[in-house]
Amino acid sequence: MGVKFGREYKDIIHDFTKALQEVEGCYDFLEMSQDDWQSMEEDERHDCMQTLADDLFYGLGTEAVMQVGDCTLTHDPKRHLIRLDRGEAFTRVVYLV
């Protein structure tokens, strides 16, 4: 079905990348160890997160709920947003319109 959006795609991915960078254990989704992740330069980690954001964006078009690290990603097509939740302590929202 795909994720419908009205904002510029690059702006959505920018916001999604920023939100993913705050997710603990995001490197697990990339099948990396914490040591490998921490040994990378900041710009390399950002590039990985941007690629992950792009992949997850398209993945959420077929699976409305996905798990990344200790965070749950949910595509809410009625509200035109993607939620990143980790209990009550962490919630980020990426607006699609």
Side-chain angles (χ1 to χ4, degrees), residues 19-68:
L20 285 171
Q21 288 174 322
E22 298 178 37
V23 174
E24 289 183 35
C26 58
Y27 48 82
D28 287 337
F29 196 81
L30 300 169
E31 298 181 357
M32 295 179 75
S33 71
Q34 184 176 10
D35 291 338
D36 289 341
W37 181 252
Q38 291 178 342
S39 70
M40 294 173 67
E41 297 291 327
E42 185 66 33
D43 60 332
E44 292 175 311
R45 288 191 295 237
H46 178 269
D47 290 347
C48 284
M49 286 297 96
Q50 188 170 341
T51 300
L52 180 60
D54 188 54
D55 291 346
L56 290 171
F57 183 85
Y58 285 101
L60 286 166
T62 57
E63 280 185 57
V65 178
M66 299 178 85
Q67 200 72 31
V68 175

